[in-house]
């Protein structure tokens, strides 16, 4: 329902832009490009605003974000959405949320009180890579987005021990550690089962060999008895 309403709104804005572009022949190309850019930003922000409603978030506070935003020593709180943790190749993606008590401003002067950040975490290398930021006017990301920024060129950064990002890494990698432990337990169980099967096979082979030996012994005894028994003419066998 939310997405269908948004799509109608997006289509309406698109039609209005087309009409205005046709009616404003005297406008400069720069103004048209600004309108087009604003339309794209509107679409992006609307979709990002609807995204949290599509699933239930599970925000877990991991401590103050003073080590990341030093000017907000006590005013910033840092959260990780456990429900957003997904594996991406050898890495794990997760959304985090920094909520400020004091208003901050973007480079264009837009105020914001919280920002959601998408990071890639390497549990083996203990690094994080910034992928995108979404800024909100209200705390805890409750309002519509003010701006969204996607990053393509950021390199992995080492995580400083015991800061907010390190605590986030522990939560994100808890799944990775659990998977390693489960894999190790499964390998141990498989090895134990294989050893038990080999032992059972060895025991069965030994029992079969003993049974064969007993059968051969019985056959030899029967043959010996048959050779020593008298024949029908009253003569003994050889």
């Amino acid at each position: 329902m939310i997405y269908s309403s948004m799509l109608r709104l997006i289509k309406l804005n698109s039609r209005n832009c087309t009409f205005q572009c046709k009616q404003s022949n005297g406008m400069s190309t720069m103004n048209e490009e600004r309108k087009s850019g604003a339309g794209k930003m509107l679409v992006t922000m609307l979709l990002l605003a609807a995204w949290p409603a599509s699933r239930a978030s599970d925000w877990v506070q991991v401590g103050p974000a003073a080590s990341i935003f030093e000017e907000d020593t006590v005013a910033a709180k840092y959260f990780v959405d456990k429900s957003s943790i997904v594996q991406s190749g050898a890495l794990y993606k997760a959304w985090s949320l920094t909520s400020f008590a004091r208003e901050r401003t973007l480079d264009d002067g837009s105020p914001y009180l919280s920002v959601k950040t998408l990071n890639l975490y390497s549990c083996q290398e203990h690094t994080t890579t910034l992928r995108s930021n979404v800024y909100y006017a209200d705390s805890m990301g409750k309002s519509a987005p003010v701006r969204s920024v996607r990053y393509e060129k950021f390199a992995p950064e080492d995580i400083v021990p015991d800061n907010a990002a390190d605590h986030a890494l522990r939560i994100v990698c808890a799944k990775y550690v659990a998977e390693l432990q489960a894999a190790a337990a499964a390998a141990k169980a498989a090895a134990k089962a294989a050893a038990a099967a080999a032992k059972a096979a060895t025991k069965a082979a030994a029992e079969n060999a003993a049974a064969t030996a007993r059968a051969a012994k019985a056959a030899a005894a029967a043959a010996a008895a048959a050779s020593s028994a008298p024949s029908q003419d009253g003569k003994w066998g050889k």
Side-chain angles (χ1 to χ4, degrees):
M1 185 66 180
I2 295 175
Y3 282 103
S4 60
S5 300
M6 284 186 165
L7 289 174
R8 286 197 296 271
L9 179 59
I10 292 168
K11 291 178 180 178
L12 178 60
N13 278 279
S14 177
R15 286 197 296 270
N16 289 340
C17 178
T18 303
F19 175 78
Q20 291 171 2
C21 290
K22 289 180 179 178
Q23 294 298 319
S24 33
N25 294 327
M27 296 184 66
S28 66
T29 303
M30 182 179 294
N31 287 335
E32 292 178 358
E33 289 176 352
R34 286 178 180 175
K35 284 187 177 182
S36 176
K40 291 179 181 178
M41 179 64 74
L42 174 62
V43 172
T44 301
M45 293 198 317
L46 285 171
L47 292 176
L48 285 170
W51 173 75
S54 63
R55 62 172 179 79
S57 299
D58 184 14
W59 295 108
V60 178
Q61 186 171 351
V62 295
S67 55
I68 299 178
F69 302 96
E70 294 180 358
E71 67 274 26
D72 292 286
T73 305
V74 181
K77 294 181 179 180
Y78 194 69
F79 303 82
V80 173
D81 182 5
K82 293 177 67 175
S83 69
S84 71
I85 301 172
V86 293
Q87 189 169 1
S88 178
L91 306 176
Y92 285 84
K93 291 193 299 185
W95 283 92
S96 60
L97 167 66
T98 305
S99 189
F100 304 95
R102 295 194 295 271
E103 189 176 86
R104 301 166 64 88
T105 55
L106 296 168
D107 53 6
D108 63 354
S110 301
Y112 70 95
L113 273 172
S114 58
V115 55
K116 290 181 181 178
T117 304
L118 179 64
N119 285 90
L120 282 172
Y121 295 89
S122 172
C123 301
Q124 294 178 322
E125 301 296 330
H126 206 78
T127 61
T128 181
T129 306
L130 178 62
R131 296 303 304 271
S132 64
N133 280 332
V134 184
Y135 299 89
Y136 298 85
D138 291 345
S139 60
M140 296 302 295
K142 295 179 180 178
S143 63
V146 174
R147 181 194 290 181
S148 64
V149 182
R150 183 174 180 179
Y151 306 98
E152 299 288 351
K153 301 295 184 180
F154 271 67
E157 295 183 358
D158 292 329
I159 294 176
V160 179
D162 296 323
N163 74 351
D166 184 41
H167 292 297
L169 179 76
R170 295 177 191 178
I171 292 176
V172 172
C173 292
K175 183 178 180 181
Y176 169 76
V177 172
E179 289 174 349
L180 285 182
Q181 292 175 341
K188 184 177 180 180
K192 185 177 180 180
K199 184 177 180 180
T202 301
K203 183 179 179 181
E207 290 175 349
N208 288 336
T212 301
R214 288 193 298 270
K217 185 176 180 181
S227 64
S228 62
S231 61
Q232 292 182 353
D233 59 3
K235 297 181 179 180
W236 294 88
K238 295 180 181 180

